[in-house]
Amino acid sequence: MNGTKDKLKDRKLHNEGYLQMVSAEQKEYAEVSACRRISENNLIITDLQTDSLLEQILDRNNLNIAYKKVKSNKGVGGVDGMKVDELLPYLKEHQKQLIQQIRDGKYKPNPVRRVEIPKEEKGKVRELGIPTVVDRVIQQAIAQILSPIYEKQFSESSYGFRPNRGAHDALKECKHLADEGYVYVVDMDLERFFDTVCQSKLIEVLSQTIKDGRVISLIHKYLNAGVLKKGIFEKTEIGVPQGGPLSPLLSNIMLNELEREIERRGHKSVRYADDCMILCKSRRSAMRTLENIVPFIERKLFLKVNRTKTEVAHISKVKYLGYTFYRHKGKCRFRIHPKTIAKMKNRIRELTARSNGWGNEYRTLKLTQFVRGWVNYFKHADMKQLLNEIDEWLRHRIRMVLWKQWKKVKTKFAMLKHYGISEEKAWIVANMRNGDYYLSNHYLVNFALNNKTLLDMGFPSLKECYLKVCEN
């Protein structure tokens, strides 16, 4: 049985996930003594009792809420293959046994299923860990009890994975600070944050608030549950598996230590998930802040700073949450970052590909869903002229798809006549042998498939969606 790296003598962290009892008379868990000792010097005061958290987590009402949340989120199954729809019958049959195992410290979480999501950088992926649906319910139940406790401790500069806060609030705070003169940014990049979290440090931070050692041990089991990748089991001795209901809360708890240190030093910061910016009034101050904060992150929190991506820059040169900033009439305003535009256009290319075999009804649905979601997220940016250009490009691609669908000369001829082109001109265009991309931009095809016609067919317009929701 291996101890933690910090060599604490009376706290043993178990890779296998089983707990040891100190004695039959005490019926206490081995981790409790260390957790209590760490908390003795803790200056944090909460008005919630945290020495009986397990009972609150296993409360019937809390578990029912957790189940409904997991059910509503749907999602794919874990390594055991159980789907969300199969969860309720399983819980009805095994609920008492499951709860008793958790109470006795004998519950062992399943490994998470590794899923790779491509990143913007070519060849790079984001690794997600998908827990089983049963483990998702338990993690959700833990998060529901711990979240209100930690909400009182979290910094006001944190906006990710918190109730009534989001990316737009983080961006508005950046804008507010820029208007106050904080225009130089330490754009911090934590290298593979979720994969490099020091579990011993995280357990120590959790123990400062959570006095119920059984809950600490249960969380540590989830950290140590391991990963199943292509049928091969891998240990997870570092990192927080990204993909479960508990991961966002644990990441906020860990990074709250960084925000406390930033505030203690008198700096302004904004953080969404692991995207952190420290804002200063001068480049010199920002450079000094960067030099001083990196040692704290690496030596105290045991996280890695990506020095190639971490930089000091004027706020107008920074990409944050897909946006960038500029000044107009003395005020900071939002724009869309060029990389975000390129990513959006790549997605539209996929949705309007001529070879994907989609029908127009399904293509219209997917395009509309994407356009509405994208515009709703970027509604704070100034982009009317940009959307005019993108709409023109999008309509060109849609016409290209429709032109290819018509295929035969007689079909093209008939459709052009149907949309108001004279018989003579329709026959000439239908018999042209130029490529689809060229002909879809022909003035007669544009006339036939004009903007109103495409809207009537259900194809979306980015600018029209934007004008309905923009806040400028």
Side-chain angles (χ1 to χ4, degrees), residues 33 55 93 156 162 164 176 180 187 229 238 353 355 392:
S33 61
E55 282 68 31
E93 184 177 351
E156 287 297 311
R162 295 184 62 187
N164 303 316
H176 171 71
E180 289 189 345
D187 189 9
K229 185 176 181 181
I238 60 169
S355 56
E392 184 177 342

Side-chain angles (χ1 to χ4, degrees), residues 59-209:
D59 178 75
R60 183 183 182 88
N61 290 333
N62 186 54
L63 289 173
N64 284 339
I65 294 170
Y67 162 74
K68 290 177 181 177
K69 183 70 173 177
V70 171
K71 175 79 172 176
S72 66
N73 287 342
K74 298 180 181 179
V76 296
V79 295
D80 61 355
M82 185 186 297
K83 299 179 181 178
V84 175
D85 294 337
E86 302 172 284
L87 182 56
L88 185 58
Y90 178 87
L91 291 178
K92 284 181 177 178
E93 184 177 351
H94 299 92
Q95 181 180 2
K96 291 183 180 179
Q97 178 186 357
L98 187 64
I99 290 174
Q100 193 58 48
Q101 283 183 338
I102 295 172
R103 280 203 175 103
D104 294 341
K106 296 180 180 179
Y107 179 73
K108 184 179 179 182
N110 284 297
V112 297
R113 182 167 66 86
R114 176 68 77 217
V115 176
E116 295 182 346
I117 307 296
K119 282 188 174 183
E120 291 181 32
E121 296 95 336
K122 190 174 181 181
K124 293 188 177 182
V125 295
R126 176 176 286 106
E127 294 185 335
L128 301 184
I130 309 300
T132 63
V133 289
V134 174
D135 284 328
R136 293 213 287 270
V137 172
I138 299 171
Q139 287 192 32
Q140 181 63 36
I142 296 171
Q144 288 169 181
I145 297 301
L146 296 189
S147 290
I149 297 171
Y150 280 100
E151 271 300 310
K152 295 187 176 183
Q153 301 179 16
F154 286 158
S155 168
E156 287 297 311
S157 61
S158 164
Y159 293 90
F161 313 122
R162 295 184 62 187
N164 303 316
R165 284 172 169 245
H168 290 164
D169 299 305
L171 289 160
K172 287 177 181 177
E173 179 63 13
C174 290
K175 178 179 181 296
H176 171 71
L177 291 172
D179 286 338
E180 289 189 345
Y182 295 89
V183 293
Y184 286 93
V185 174
V186 179
D187 189 9
M188 188 73 63
D189 187 89
L190 299 177
E191 186 175 350
R192 299 174 64 241
F193 167 72
F194 283 93
D195 298 328
T196 59
V197 170
C198 176
Q199 292 182 5
S200 297
K201 180 63 180 180
L202 177 57
I203 292 296
E204 179 186 326
V205 173
L206 287 168
S207 301
Q208 292 173 1
T209 298

Side-chain angles (χ1 to χ4, degrees), residues 445-463:
V445 177
N446 283 351
F447 180 84
L449 299 173
N450 56 46
N451 299 355
K452 185 178 182 305
T453 299
L454 294 179
L455 287 173
D456 291 342
M457 293 173 70
F459 290 104
S461 162
L462 282 89
K463 186 175 180 181

Side-chain angles (χ1 to χ4, degrees), residues 73 77 83 116 153 199 205 216 218 347 374 385 417 467:
N73 287 342
K83 299 179 181 178
E116 295 182 346
Q153 301 179 16
Q199 292 182 5
V205 173
I216 295 289
L218 182 58
R347 180 58 180 155
W374 191 88
Q385 182 57 42
K417 284 202 305 178
L467 292 176

